[in-house]
Structures are given as structure tokens and as C-alpha cells.
């Protein structure tokens, strides 16, 4: 009984952190869930990543739907990026299976802190007019190249996909902040599903109770966070996104190394 309560508590905390990160910043749920399950429940790293990716699917979909209702989702122009990410995610997932006990990289968390500081110190202030004025050909090339990099990271370590998507959408494709987060979670739903299925096909089914708990808790908190984010100003959302990235990374580094 005690072990089950501990499992529920760990999954609740992991799901809450993952859901808030997804809803506010379009982050991958696996970036939070993976280290928590590995450290506190002793779940094998490859299984933990798979649970995090599947938890990301519904959370990202409900977040994307919330952003879409507020007009902050660009489906049409995100397709090349989505296809590129999906194809390379499967490759990254296979490569990751060769190192099943590799936990989340500290380098990834440091990168997340740096990107979080970027949003805090230099907020994204792009407009939809500026986005529309850009070269379609240039945007297409950047989307394909950026998607390939994102897909490999997401498939290999089960984390970093959302972070990199947000960076590519805002810094390279010129998306406004709300539109970038909404489009990011839309793409992450498909990349997470692809990566999660690949993990389970290669490594087998993980702990079913942990999977169910993480999916439910992540979904609930992602919905709450997305609703709040869509009501915030672009400046506030920049600050929240930066803060969420930094706090999440610091906590994960502490969990892994303390």
C-alpha cells in the first residue's frame, strides 16, 4: 500500500510539473517525467522516457486545442516542420534504444536554462504581420532543417523537443510568442506519439499504473496552464516561459545529482 501511495505522489508531482511546462511553454512532458520516475521509482530510463512521451500526447493535444480556440495555432505552415520532426524522431528513438540506461543529459538542462534566460532577458516581440512578410522558401528550408534536429533530440532522449520547437519557431521562423507555443504543442502531440510508440515497440510496455497516472495528471495540469497562458500578454508569457524552463531545469539537475 505504501509503495502505491509513493508511486501516486511521484506521478502527481511529475505530471503537475510536466503539464505546467507543456501548457505554458510547449515543453516536452518527458523532460520532467523521465528524471522523476528514474530517480524516485527506479523505472528503467528507456521506459521512463516512453511514459513521458505518451503522457505528452493528450496534454499537448488539449493544450493545442486551447490555443486554437484563441487563434494561436498555425497548422498549415507547420506541416513541413511536423513531417521533418516525425521522420527523424523514429531514427532518434532507435538510436536511443542502444543506450537504454542513459538518463537525461545535464547538458540538455543547461541548454534549457540558457534558453529560459533568453526569453526572460530578450522577450519575443514578433507580430503576425512580420511573420507573413517573410520569404516562404526560406521559412520552408529552416523548418525542414530545424525539424530534423528537433526530431533526433526528441526521439533519442525523449526531451528537448518542445524547447527546441519553441526556439526554432520564435528565433528562426519569426513566430509571435502565443502562436509559437500553440504551434509547438500541436507538433509535440505527434512527435510524442511517434516517439512513445517507437519506445514501446522496441522496449516493451512499461509500468501500466505509472503510465496511466502520468497521462491523467499531465493532462489536467496542461489544460489549466494553457487556459491561463492564452489570457496572458506576450510579455508576461515570455517571462512565464523563461521561468518555467529555468525552474524545471534546476529541479531536474537537483534530482539527478543531489
Amino acid at each position: 500500500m505504501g509503495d502505491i501511495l509513493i508511486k501516486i505522489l511521484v506521478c502527481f508531482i511529475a505530471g503537475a510539473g510536466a503539464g505546467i511546462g507543456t501548457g505554458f511553454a510547449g515543453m516536452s512532458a518527458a523532460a520532467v517525467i523521465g528524471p522523476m520516475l528514474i530517480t524516485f521509482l527506479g523505472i528503467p530510463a528507456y521506459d521512463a522516457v516512453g511514459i513521458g512521451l505518451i503522457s505528452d500526447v493528450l496534454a499537448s493535444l488539449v493544450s493545442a486545442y486551447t490555443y486554437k480556440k484563441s487563434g494561436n495555432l498555425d497548422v498549415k505552415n507547420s506541416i513541413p516542420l511536423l513531417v521533418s520532426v516525425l521522420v527523424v524522431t523514429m531514427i532518434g528513438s532507435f538510436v536511443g534504444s542502444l543506450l537504454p540506461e542513459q538518463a537525461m543529459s545535464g547538458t540538455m538542462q543547461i541548454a534549457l536554462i540558457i534558453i529560459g534566460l533568453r526569453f526572460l532577458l530578450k522577450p519575443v516581440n514578433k507580430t503576425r504581420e512580420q511573420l507573413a512578410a517573410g520569404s516562404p522558401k526560406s521559412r520552408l528550408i529552416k523548418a525542414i532543417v530545424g525539424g530534423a534536429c528537433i526530431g533526433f533530440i526528441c526521439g533519442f532522449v525523449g526531451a528537448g523537443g518542445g524547447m527546441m520547437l519553441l526556439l526554432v519557431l520564435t528565433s528562426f521562423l519569426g513566430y509571435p510568442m502565443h502562436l509559437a507555443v500553440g504551434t509547438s504543442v500541436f507538433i509535440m502531440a505527434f512527435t510524442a506519439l511517434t516517439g512513445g510508440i517507437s519506445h514501446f515497440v522496441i522496449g516493451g510496455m512499461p509500468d501500466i499504473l505509472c503510465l496511466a497516472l502520468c497521462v491523467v495528471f499531465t493532462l489536467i495540469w496542461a489544460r489549466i496552464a494553457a487556459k491561463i497562458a492564452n489570457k496572458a500578454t506576450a510579455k508576461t508569457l515570455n517571462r512565464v516561459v523563461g521561468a518555467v524552463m529555468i525552474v524545471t531545469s534546476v529541479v531536474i539537475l537537483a534530482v539527478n545529482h543531489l
Side-chain angles (χ1 to χ4, degrees):
M1 187 66 179
D3 290 342
I4 294 179
L5 290 176
I6 291 175
K7 185 175 291 188
I8 293 173
L9 178 61
V10 171
C11 290
F12 174 79
I13 295 173
I20 291 171
T22 299
F24 271 121
M27 289 171 53
S28 169
V32 178
I33 291 175
M36 291 287 291
L37 298 187
I38 293 166
T39 302
F40 294 109
L41 298 181
I43 292 178
Y46 198 72
D47 287 353
V49 168
I51 291 173
L53 287 168
I54 292 300
S55 299
D56 212 354
V57 177
L58 289 180
S60 292
L61 282 176
V62 75
S63 296
Y65 175 71
T66 303
Y67 278 90
K68 183 179 185 299
K69 288 200 301 182
S70 298
N72 292 315
L73 175 58
D74 181 12
V75 175
K76 180 181 178 181
N77 293 315
S78 67
I79 297 302
L81 180 61
L82 169 60
V83 172
S84 180
V85 171
L86 285 178
V87 171
V88 186
T89 292
M90 291 185 284
I91 297 174
S93 182
F94 173 74
V95 174
S97 71
L98 303 178
L99 299 170
E101 294 303 319
Q102 180 175 338
M104 216 64 66
S105 169
T107 303
M108 181 66 69
Q109 304 313 323
I110 293 172
L112 198 59
I113 291 174
I114 293 172
I115 294 176
L117 287 171
R118 185 266 188 202
F119 286 116
L120 281 174
L121 302 177
K122 189 179 179 182
V124 175
N125 55 10
K126 300 288 185 179
T127 64
R128 292 173 186 264
E129 290 73 19
Q130 289 175 308
L131 174 63
S135 167
K137 182 178 180 180
S138 175
R139 187 163 57 237
L140 175 62
I141 294 173
K142 290 178 180 178
I144 293 174
V145 173
C149 295
I150 294 165
F152 186 80
I153 292 171
C154 182
F156 183 61
V157 300
M163 170 192 74
M164 295 302 294
L165 271 171
L166 198 59
L167 181 64
V168 168
L169 288 168
T170 55
S171 298
F172 296 103
L173 298 180
Y175 275 58
M177 195 62 182
H178 284 86
L179 188 62
V181 176
T183 304
S184 173
V185 290
F186 169 73
I187 295 174
M188 278 306 300
F190 295 95
T191 60
L193 179 62
T194 303
I197 291 175
S198 297
H199 270 64
F200 294 164
V201 169
I202 295 170
M205 287 298 294
D207 185 303
I208 299 299
L209 179 59
C210 279
L211 175 62
L213 290 171
C214 287
V215 167
V216 172
F217 291 139
T218 304
L219 174 63
I220 292 171
W221 284 99
R223 171 65 171 166
I224 294 171
K227 291 186 71 174
I228 295 173
N230 273 282
K231 295 178 180 178
T233 64
K235 185 176 181 180
T236 299
L237 186 58
N238 269 275
R239 290 175 175 173
V240 172
V241 167
V244 168
M245 287 184 174
I246 293 170
V247 171
T248 301
S249 298
V250 170
V251 170
I252 292 173
L253 287 172
V255 165
N256 284 339
H257 300 290
L258 295 183

